[in-house]
Amino acid sequence: MKSLTQKVLQFIDRQTLIPPNSRVLVACSGGVDSMVLLHFLATHQDVLSIEAGAIHIDHMLRGKESAEDAYVVEQLCNKFHLPFFAEQVPIPSLVENTGGNVQMLCREERYKVFAETMQQHNFTALATAHHAEDQLETVLIQLTKGRTMNGMPLQRPFHQGSVVRPFLPLKKEELYAYAASHGLLYREDPSNQKDDYLRNRIRHQVVPLLSEENPSVADGVVQLTMQRQAEETFLQELALKYWKPIVQYTDEQLPSFDRKAFLAIPQALQKRVIQLLLSCLPSPEIVKAEQRSAVVEELLKHICNTSGNSTMDLAYGYRFVREYDKLLVTKTYMDTASLCPKVLSKGTWHSWGSIQFYWQHTEAHAIEQIRSSDEVRYFRLPASELPLTVRLREPGDRLQLKGMSQTKRVSRLLIDEKVGMTQRQQQPVVTTASGIVCAVPSVRYGEMFLSSQPKGESYIWITREGENR
C-alpha cells in the first residue's frame, strides 16, 4: 500500500487539492471506493494537517439495505473519532410528485444536503472517491452525448469551499487491494450491477473491452483530461480577456457588443465568448449541455450572417438581436409602459428611460455643467410652443429637417440612420406644445435646432444618455 499512499499524497500536493487546515467532509456511500477514501484521509489527518468527517445520504430506494450502509460508515467514523452525519432524502416521493430522472434527482438532492452540512459545520472541502475508471466512463459518456470530453474536474468550487477528487490517479483494483489490506468493511450496491443506466452499460460492456486492448487506458484518460482541463482554463481566461473590452451592459445588466469587434476575436475563442454571453443572463440559459451547444452554434451563425437584421429567441424570456453591426440581448417582451408622455419643464433634468433631458434659457445655464458626452443643441421657439414634451414615436410622425422642402417620416429616418429595431421600440421624440415633432434625440434634430449658439435670445437643449444605454 506504500505506492498507493505516495501516489495519492503526491497528487494532492501537486494539484493543491486539500490545503493545510482544511476541514474535509467525505461523501461516503459505504461502497469500497468511498470507504477507502474515508479510511485514507482519517489515517493521514496529521500528514495533511486536516480534519476529516463523513456524510452518508440514504436515498430511500433500497429499504433496510440503505440503513446498513450508513451503519458501516458510522462504525469507521467511530473508530477514528470522526464527525458523522447521516441524512435521508425521500427520492421515491419526490419522483412521484415532481417526476424527472431518478439519478439526476438523487445527485441534486444529496448535493443540497452536502452544501447545508458544510455550511453548518464549517467544512471547506467535499471529497468524493471518483477514480480512474470513473473518469474513463465519464469521458465515454461525454463522447456518446456529443459533449466536450474534459471529464470530471479534479476540483471545482462548491458552496463555501470546493469539491475535490484525490483518488482520480487510482484504479479500482488498487482500492480493493487497499480495503483487503486494512480489513475494511464495505457495501456493494446491487443497482450498480444492472444495465438500466448508461454509465453502468459503459462500465460493464465498453470499459472492459478497452482495458483488454490497453490496460493503461484509464490512466491515460486521467492524464489526458488533466491536460485538457488546464488548457480549457487557459482558453477561458483568454476568451474573457477578449470579451471584457467589447461588451457593454444595459441598466438591466444585459450584454451588447459590436459585431466587427466580435469577428476580430480568433475563431478558436468565438464559441467560448458566446458562452460568456449566455452566462450573463439572469437565469441559466440552457440546462443540458447538448442543447446549450446547439444554441451557441445558432448564435454564431446569426453573428456571422451579414444579410439584414435578425433575432433569435432564447430561454427564460430573452432574445438575441442583431441590428446592423450591433449585437445585444433584450427581453422578449419589452416593457414600454413606463415610457409615457412627459412634459419637460424648463430648467429641470427629466429622466425618460435611460435618457435625461434638460432645456433652459441659454444665458441662465452654467457652461461648466455641460459634459463632453452631452448632446447639446440650441433653439428658438415662441412661448406659445413651450414647454416641450417627450413621448414614444407614433405612426405618422414626421420631422422637418434642415435643407429639405418636405417633412420626413420618422420611421424612414430611423431606418436610414440604421437605428436597430430594439431602440426603435423605445425611441423618444420631442414635440412642441402644439404637437409638432421637432427632434428625435440621439438620432436627428429638426430645422429649428442649431449646433452652435445663435445671437440673441435662445434656449439650450441637452440630451444626456445613460452610460449603458
Side-chain angles (χ1 to χ4, degrees):
M1 290 302 102
K2 185 177 180 181
S3 60
L4 180 149
T5 299
Q6 290 177 338
K7 190 185 298 187
V8 175
L9 290 177
Q10 288 174 3
F11 183 70
I12 290 173
D13 179 61
R14 188 167 58 249
Q15 303 299 331
T16 60
L17 287 185
I18 307 176
N21 303 315
S22 296
R23 282 180 52 79
V24 184
L25 182 66
V26 180
C28 196
S29 66
V32 63
D33 306 345
S34 57
M35 290 297 287
V36 170
L37 177 60
L38 179 58
H39 184 275
F40 181 91
L41 292 178
T43 54
H44 289 83
Q45 290 186 97
D46 292 340
V47 174
L48 294 169
S49 298
I50 64 171
E51 296 178 19
I55 183 168
H56 175 82
I57 307 297
D58 179 1
H59 299 108
M60 304 180 71
L61 293 169
R62 295 168 38 238
K64 291 182 179 180
E65 288 185 7
S66 297
E68 293 172 1
D69 295 345
Y71 177 76
V72 169
V73 179
E74 185 177 16
Q75 288 299 105
L76 187 58
C77 286
N78 290 340
K79 178 179 179 180
F80 290 99
H81 307 289
L82 304 180
F84 171 70
F85 308 93
E87 295 287 344
Q88 288 186 320
V89 178
I91 294 298
S93 61
L94 289 174
V95 171
E96 184 178 348
N97 294 331
T98 63
N101 180 286
V102 173
Q103 280 192 317
M104 182 69 71
L105 192 58
C106 285
R107 186 183 187 282
E108 290 174 354
E109 292 300 319
R110 70 172 173 267
Y111 271 85
K112 285 180 185 177
V113 178
F114 293 158
E116 292 169 359
T117 305
M118 288 180 69
Q119 182 178 22
Q120 292 171 7
H121 300 279
N122 297 317
F123 284 98
T124 55
L126 176 70
T128 65
H130 295 105
H131 50 79
E133 283 92 345
D134 289 327
Q135 187 69 297
L136 174 57
E137 293 164 11
T138 299
V139 169
L140 292 172
I141 289 171
Q142 291 171 340
L143 173 64
T144 302
K145 295 187 175 182
R147 300 178 184 175
T148 303
M149 293 181 290
N150 287 334
M152 295 178 288
L154 311 182
Q155 58 181 316
R156 64 177 177 86
F158 178 67
H159 195 57
Q160 63 188 39
S162 60
V163 174
V164 297
R165 298 184 168 96
F167 273 10
L168 277 184
L170 303 182
K171 297 178 74 171
K172 185 82 170 187
E173 62 187 24
E174 295 178 273
L175 302 182
Y176 278 121
Y178 183 101
S181 174
H182 291 87
L184 294 182
L185 296 177
Y186 56 85
R187 303 278 297 170
E188 296 284 6
D189 184 346
S191 66
N192 290 334
Q193 303 306 315
K194 299 178 181 178
D195 283 351
D196 296 345
Y197 303 113
L198 175 60
R199 182 175 290 274
N200 283 1
R201 292 194 294 275
I202 288 176
R203 178 177 299 165
H204 299 148
Q205 300 172 30
V206 181
V207 171
L209 179 63
L210 294 176
S211 298
E212 184 178 341
E213 291 291 330
N214 177 10
S216 299
V217 63
D219 297 326
V221 164
V222 170
Q223 295 302 315
L224 175 66
T225 53
M226 287 173 59
Q227 181 63 31
R228 285 186 63 89
Q229 288 170 25
E231 292 170 354
E232 182 66 23
T233 298
F234 171 73
L235 290 172
Q236 284 298 105
E237 291 173 352
L238 197 57
L240 188 61
K241 185 177 178 181
Y242 278 97
W243 172 242
K244 283 184 174 180
I246 72 171
V247 67
Q248 293 182 312
Y249 296 94
T250 66
D251 293 338
E252 296 176 308
Q253 294 303 300
L254 296 177
S256 67
F257 55 103
D258 181 78
R259 176 178 175 274
K260 292 179 180 177
F262 175 86
L263 294 178
I265 296 172
Q267 288 188 6
L269 296 175
Q270 288 179 359
K271 289 183 180 180
R272 287 180 169 83
V273 170
I274 294 175
Q275 293 276 13
L276 292 172
L277 162 70
L278 293 176
S279 69
C280 293
L281 299 186
S283 300
E285 167 51 21
I286 291 293
V287 175
K288 294 184 178 179
E290 58 266 33
Q291 292 180 344
R292 189 181 183 98
S293 177
V295 171
V296 170
E297 290 284 354
E298 189 66 21
L299 283 173
L300 187 59
K301 288 180 183 178
H302 277 274
I303 294 171
C304 294
N305 190 356
T306 59
S307 58
N309 298 335
S310 67
T311 63
M312 175 181 166
D313 285 340
L314 305 172
Y316 303 100
Y318 293 96
R319 172 178 293 164
F320 173 79
V321 180
R322 176 171 57 79
E323 298 175 338
Y324 306 102
D325 280 332
K326 185 177 182 181
L327 310 171
L328 65 155
V329 172
T330 69
K331 289 185 176 179
T332 304
Y333 301 102
M334 196 165 294
D335 180 17
T336 58
S338 61
L339 304 179
C340 51
K342 180 180 289 188
V343 175
L344 306 175
S345 54
K346 184 175 63 177
T348 302
W349 280 99
H350 298 274
S351 294
W352 200 85
S354 61
I355 312 178
Q356 291 183 307
F357 300 117
Y358 174 92
W359 67 281
Q360 175 63 286
H361 283 288
T362 303
E363 61 273 16
H365 182 78
I367 192 70
E368 60 268 17
Q369 295 179 12
I370 300 176
R371 301 176 183 176
S372 60
S373 59
D374 289 345
E375 196 172 63
V376 180
R377 295 291 187 276
Y378 300 88
F379 67 93
R380 291 193 180 106
L381 273 179
S384 60
E385 290 291 348
L386 297 173
L388 300 175
T389 295
V390 62
R391 61 167 172 79
L392 285 170
R393 69 183 181 93
E394 298 174 354
D397 280 345
R398 304 185 74 91
L399 178 66
Q400 182 65 58
L401 297 172
K402 187 176 181 180
M404 295 186 64
S405 59
Q406 295 183 336
T407 58
K408 184 169 184 175
R409 282 182 295 132
V410 172
S411 58
R412 182 72 251 176
L413 173 67
L414 295 175
I415 294 172
D416 291 346
E417 295 293 329
K418 294 189 174 182
V419 176
M421 183 60 71
T422 303
Q423 185 178 336
R424 287 183 227 169
Q425 294 176 350
Q426 306 172 78
Q427 181 61 51
V429 298
V430 176
T431 67
T432 65
S434 62
I436 298 172
V437 176
C438 58
V440 183
S442 302
V443 181
R444 292 290 295 273
Y445 287 82
E447 62 177 357
M448 60 177 258
F449 283 88
L450 306 170
S451 56
S452 57
Q453 183 178 349
K455 293 181 180 180
E457 185 178 350
S458 65
Y459 298 95
I460 186 172
W461 169 273
I462 301 175
T463 299
R464 181 172 292 174
E465 294 195 47
E467 270 185 30
N468 300 318
R469 187 190 177 204

